[in-house]
Amino acid sequence: MSKALVCSCEDVTVEDIRHAVAKGFRDVESVKRFTGFGTGVCQGKSCLSAVAALLAKEKAQKPEGIVPFTPRPPLYPTELSLLASLPVDESKPPVGGVPQELDTFPATLRPEGAVPTRARVVIVGGGVLGLALAYNLSLRGETDVVVLERGYLCAGASGRNGGGVRMQWGTAANIELAKRSIELMGRFARDLGINVWLRQGGYLFMAKTKAVAERLERNAALHNKHGVPTRMLTLDEARDVVPGLSLKDAQAVSYNPEDGVIFPWPFLWGYANACRKAGIKVETYTRVTGFELSGGLVRKVKTDRGDISCDTVVVATGAWSPEVAKLAGVSLPNEPHRHEILSTEPLKPFLGPLVSVLDSGLYFSQSMRGEIVGGMGDPLEPAGLNMGSTLRFVSRFARALTEQLPNLGHVKVLRQWAGCYDVTPDNSPILGRTPGLENLLQLSGFVGHGFMMAPAVAERMAQWMTTGASDELFTRFNLRRFHEGKLEREDMIIG
Amino acid sequence: MRRLPDAASRGKSITMDLEGETVPAIEGEPVACSLIAAGESVLARSIKYHRARGPYCFSGACSHCLMRVDGLPNVYTCRVPARQGMKLERQNAYPSAKVDVFEAIDWFFPKGLDHHEMFAGVPVAEQVMAKVARQLAGLGLLPTAPAPERLPVETVRTRVAVVGAGAAGLAAAQVLAAQNLPFLLLERDNVLGGRLLSGVPEADAPPPPAEGLLAPERVRTRVTVIGLFDDEEGRFLAAVNEGTGEPRLLRVYAERFLLAPGGHPPMLPFENNDLPGVYASHAASLLVRRYGVAPEVAALVGSGPELYALARLMTERGTKVAAVVDLKGPVPADAPAGAVQGSEPKAHGHNAVSGFSYQDASGRRVKVACDAVLVAVAPSPSFELARQGGAKVEYDEAREVFAVVADAEGRTEAADVYVAGDVRGARSAAQAAADGRRAAEALAQSLTRAAVGGKS
């Protein structure tokens, strides 16, 4: 059948690009994510300029606004076994990272005109948490809301995570939130009209030390108490779940078949689209520059496109939250920590669950598209908003991954990237009112699992905000706890 | 495609195993080249619509030629050298790539398949679709055996690392050599010269590099640079070295990086532009100049001087040129006879090119019979390494490509990154060489200044 291909790796046609533009995706990064062009084996070598020319021709974008998507290493597909050959000095912290993300975007990318001068609620941060909250507010009749996003949708951690969703947590609060989130994810397409490809292939956690093994066993009992069917597997059972998996040094394996993986990006599009339909303004490429405070309240949010008077402000900026809160004179204890991740060539399905070695922070799964997507935390990663990629990471990861699944040695890495975890001292989020600034609400500190918690947390927060009914979530996880020493430690963090 | 009569002497005749069939090949030449010369045009089926695919770019910049080779998935057959007994399998096809039942997907969805909204929220259908989609997704099969233990990484420290031994990189290396600056030139191909050897000939191009032009210890071929990284010891290029037998990871730390990696052959969007038999001009010139493989009858489409130069090259080598269609125009006075300005190009054929059509100036659709469509457009600068190194990249509206922003001497926004040649926008080989010389001179000066500054 006659088709005009732009990206032949992913079978993206000229029509697909036009369709994306018609849907409002007008910059290269957004068109890449919506159509999938440039995400295949060639990583944009043969299609990027053709897409740029099309965007110019369709007048989707002025030439100054046509910026190439960030080129991720490796430049050519590279076997994991080769990357694994690089020795890494684990006693030293990682240094550097390439390429650095654009900090400022061309002004032409900004929407034309000023932002609204007044809104009842301003949500800073157009990641999954901010957008999910806006959507849930609209369900409760509150549509006088503006969402501000400094880049394109998916530019932050919401667009950079591995898409894992699990109920296996170490605290009752997180287990319940995750259960509800996964339920909402299962009906996301019905509610919001876009596929998110939830695939419940389970999460298989492995422990290689006695201490971690005990933690898995203790948590599995807690999961069962909350109706989550986690069970401890024998090594033979684990091999049945993941054929070819090395269980060397494995002390314990836990498995919940109802955990899974999703495709993160459509969540943002689905929520943003529903918000816009409800009359909520979602303003991309708009940066918050400050706040106007008086009488213990935030009166205005200042942006590079004008000021917005408001009744309530929500900080939902993930790893950027300390930076944004500081503009209001609020000091948050969160720290951004880079986490690196990579994706391989697409293979026919062979791996059911997401596998994680809890001791090292290694995790990997197979996406719906067939790629192995995975990462591993670096214990010496310094705090900072660094989103560059390192050879050190791919090397450490490649070694750890091929140790667990040796047949992946010849599999090639297509691209590596990084995002930032928003890390709090007790690995639990910061939610609710800010002491001293009552109408500044916090919605941050999810330590790399904000994505999977977003649907449920946003639902509770919207209810709490619109009804005024008390909800222990917003007192238990309040910023106050760090002064009062009532920490709520979560011990099932990967990485 | 056929092998030209003078092609027999290019190497040892061998055979490969293509899904149980024996196909002739020439040892050491790219597998895909041997396959198309043997009349095998369909090498794969595409990932989503199962469209027939044959090699397009011959530079590892698309995905049309990926096959399972000796049990390894998604191998660029346009890059991997042919060996006796090599086992080749076409991917993503059932029961075979020539007759693939899943080609029906392409026919069922003439307007494309919107995976975002398809069956979204429709009970049952949604779940069935997810199951089917998972089985259809992916390309190759997981390798059946682990990789061998790799050789330890090699680390080299030099003052200047040069990437790419085309016109720009070679000219730069000669300047550095003349100034006695320690440098290392890395080239992905197995020979030096880039387009000087395999590109469309240009009248004013410098000659291809003579044997012994550069000291052997200054040059590495079959080295694929995969990134410009930094760590506690400084900035370095990471590369895969396949020049010495077993592949091995290589790190090159340097004080300056002179990047001349050239460009990638882009896709030109037109109907059936992915049909086996559609080739990038780079592929066509490489095949005919280096391997003596050419189509019988070709239609040429594109714009710029390369379009006409390619027409002359193909005619000279015995290919009948059925059409030369300039999409931008006007057609220059010295263009080969029959060249016209046209629009709306389209390739025709089922599983392989059998014809080509376009709309002429009067709006009439003109169709010609051919066995290949050759696409000549400006290469897309390979800006990736420069951008990783901190250089700025801008959209060049006139050339419709992204190019690295640099001054006349090749300086970029990153103090240690210099660029030359196609990476800063499509240019002739002569211009690329001049770029390379200027950049190398400026870079050498910056090193001298740094040394003087260091002493004072």
Side-chain angles (χ1 to χ4, degrees), chain A residues 28-354:
Chain A
V28 174
E29 292 279 12
S30 299
V31 173
K32 169 187 173 177
R33 282 162 182 76
F34 191 74
T35 63
F37 97 81
T39 63
V41 175
C42 95
Q43 289 292 299
K45 292 183 188 76
S46 64
C47 56
L48 179 56
S49 55
V51 171
L54 256 169
L55 293 180
K57 201 173 125 197
E58 301 278 314
K59 304 218 180 306
Q61 199 57 250
K62 291 187 190 124
E64 313 87 77
I66 299 180
V67 180
F69 61 70
T70 313
R72 316 277 184 200
L75 180 50
Y76 291 93
T78 307
E79 284 192 12
L80 284 159
S81 63
L82 282 163
L83 296 165
S85 71
L86 178 83
V88 169
D89 184 348
E90 299 269 359
S91 70
K92 288 187 190 150
V95 169
V98 298
Q100 284 302 322
E101 299 290 327
L102 292 182
D103 188 48
T104 48
F105 296 96
T108 42
L109 287 171
R110 275 189 221 151
E112 281 174 20
V115 287
T117 53
R118 145 118 219 125
R120 260 204 295 275
V121 182
V122 174
I123 299 173
V124 187
V128 70
L129 280 156
L131 289 169
L133 176 63
Y135 166 69
N136 276 279
L137 286 171
S138 78
L139 292 183
R140 299 182 155 273
E142 179 57 88
T143 56
D144 191 8
V145 180
V146 175
V147 182
L148 303 172
E149 167 55 46
R150 68 189 278 278
Y152 49 93
L153 295 183
C154 305
S158 302
R160 293 167 182 270
N161 67 91
V165 292
R166 60 176 159 120
M167 306 169 201
Q168 296 190 65
W169 287 97
T171 56
N174 275 338
I175 295 168
E176 286 300 331
L177 284 173
K179 269 174 64 182
R180 176 65 180 155
S181 263
I182 293 173
E183 190 187 329
L184 290 169
M185 287 171 172
R187 42 179 261 217
F188 195 88
R190 231 168 305 156
D191 293 344
L192 287 128
I194 188 160
N195 291 313
V196 297
W197 304 101
L198 172 66
R199 182 173 69 78
Q200 287 173 288
Y203 252 57
L204 186 144
F205 275 109
M206 192 189 295
K208 292 197 170 182
T209 56
K210 275 267 175 294
V212 178
E214 279 164 20
R215 215 200 298 167
L216 281 187
E217 276 159 22
R218 196 174 57 235
N219 286 342
L222 183 66
H223 301 161
N224 296 161
K225 224 171 86 188
H226 287 269
V228 175
T230 303
R231 44 194 191 98
M232 302 307 294
L233 299 186
T234 65
L235 298 191
D236 281 340
E237 285 172 329
R239 260 181 229 110
D240 285 342
V241 176
V242 183
L245 182 68
S246 161
L247 290 154
K248 189 169 165 277
D249 301 331
Q251 302 279 328
V253 177
S254 77
Y255 175 63
N256 170 24
E258 294 182 5
D259 293 339
V261 286
I262 46 110
F263 184 32
W265 300 337
F267 279 88
L268 282 81
W269 304 326
Y271 281 135
N273 198 23
C275 285
R276 284 172 173 144
K277 269 193 192 147
I280 289 175
K281 298 268 185 298
V282 179
E283 304 282 346
T284 53
Y285 293 107
T286 304
R287 186 188 285 261
V288 170
T289 55
F291 297 97
E292 197 176 294
L293 314 174
S294 70
L297 293 171
V298 181
R299 305 291 179 175
K300 270 185 184 174
V301 179
K302 298 177 179 176
T303 81
D304 55 2
R305 290 175 54 218
D307 298 352
I308 312 170
S309 315
C310 55
D311 300 338
T312 304
V313 177
V314 182
V315 177
T317 46
W320 287 265
S321 294
E323 209 172 81
V324 172
K326 208 171 153 195
L327 295 173
V330 175
S331 167
L332 295 183
N334 341 16
E335 276 184 346
H337 278 253
R338 171 176 61 182
H339 272 252
E340 297 190 58
I341 179 167
L342 62 73
S343 177
T344 69
E345 60 191 298
L347 297 169
K348 291 288 175 195
F350 67 92
L351 176 63
L354 184 145

Side-chain angles (χ1 to χ4, degrees), chain B residues 91-140:
Chain B
Q91 301 185 134
N92 212 33
Y94 181 82
S96 79
K98 285 180 183 164
V99 189
D100 178 7
V101 295
F102 293 113
E103 191 183 329
I105 300 172
D106 195 26
W107 293 89
F108 274 133
F109 300 98
K111 295 254 167 229
L113 185 160
D114 180 358
H115 57 275
H116 293 315
E117 289 179 5
M118 191 178 172
F119 295 129
V122 181
V124 188
E126 185 186 53
Q127 271 114 45
V128 171
M129 176 187 64
K131 285 208 168 65
V132 171
R134 174 152 161 90
Q135 292 311 312
L136 289 179
L139 264 185

Side-chain angles (χ1 to χ4, degrees), chain B residues 6 13 37 54 96 100 106 108 133 157 180 190 195 200 225 243 281 297-298 303 336 338 375 393 401 424 438-439 447:
Chain B
D6 62 342
S13 289
S96 79
D100 178 7
D106 195 26
F108 274 133
R157 285 180 174 76
N180 282 323
N190 54 4
R195 66 171 143 177
V200 178
V225 177
S281 61
V297 185
S303 58
V375 178
V393 177
V401 295
R424 45 180 317 185
R438 273 199 305 273
L447 281 174

Side-chain angles (χ1 to χ4, degrees), chain B residues 348-433:
Chain B
H348 299 265
H350 180 67
N351 288 352
V353 166
S354 61
F356 172 79
S357 69
Y358 62 97
Q359 200 167 294
D360 72 7
S362 63
R364 196 170 54 100
R365 184 149 284 276
V366 181
K367 189 173 174 185
V368 297
C370 57
D371 64 337
V373 175
L374 311 182
V375 178
V377 288
S380 296
S382 176
F383 61 79
E384 300 88 348
L385 298 171
R387 168 75 174 84
Q388 284 163 18
K392 200 174 162 195
V393 177
E394 268 180 6
Y395 184 61
D396 179 334
E397 210 188 345
R399 291 182 174 130
E400 298 187 329
V401 295
F402 290 105
V404 177
V405 179
D407 70 7
E409 272 75 47
R411 290 184 199 90
T412 69
E413 283 206 353
D416 56 352
V417 175
Y418 287 69
V419 290
D422 275 355
V423 72
R424 45 180 317 185
R427 303 158 79 80
S428 71
Q431 281 170 320

Side-chain angles (χ1 to χ4, degrees), chain A residues 1-3 23 49 79, chain B residues 51 106 117 150 271 380:
Chain A
M1 183 54 68
S2 238
K3 285 189 175 71
K23 288 248 169 198
S49 55
E79 284 192 12
Chain B
R51 292 167 70 82
D106 195 26
E117 289 179 5
R150 297 302 186 178
E271 277 187 55
S380 296

